[in-house]
Amino acid sequence: AACIAANFISGTAMIQALTPDNVRGRVLSLFGLNQAIAMIFGVAVGAIAEAAGATLAVPIMGGVLVAVVATLAVASPGLRHVH
């Protein structure tokens, strides 16, 4: 638990230090959303690992991640040019 807290605190501090004032709130909200999504996917990975085994759960979730990133890259090409 201490390592998770340290990771969250250091990540938040880096975001606050590196993000421009006009978008800092938006970026921090996405950071918090990322933490929530990680917890939800942890439950999904656990369910898949319980049903199919851990050796199958990891590649499945890796494939899901690649599919989501590819979909975002195709659907929102402007994301690559955010300044």
Side-chain angles (χ1 to χ4, degrees), residues 5-32:
N7 182 29
F8 186 77
I9 292 167
S10 63
T12 303
M14 287 182 65
I15 288 171
Q16 288 180 350
L18 299 173
T19 306
D21 292 341
N22 61 331
V23 294
R24 187 173 298 135
R26 294 176 190 154
V27 173
L28 282 169
S29 68
L30 288 174
F31 184 68

Side-chain angles (χ1 to χ4, degrees), residues 7 11 16 34 37 65 80:
N7 182 29
Q16 288 180 350
N34 178 46
I37 290 171
L65 178 63
R80 287 181 243 147

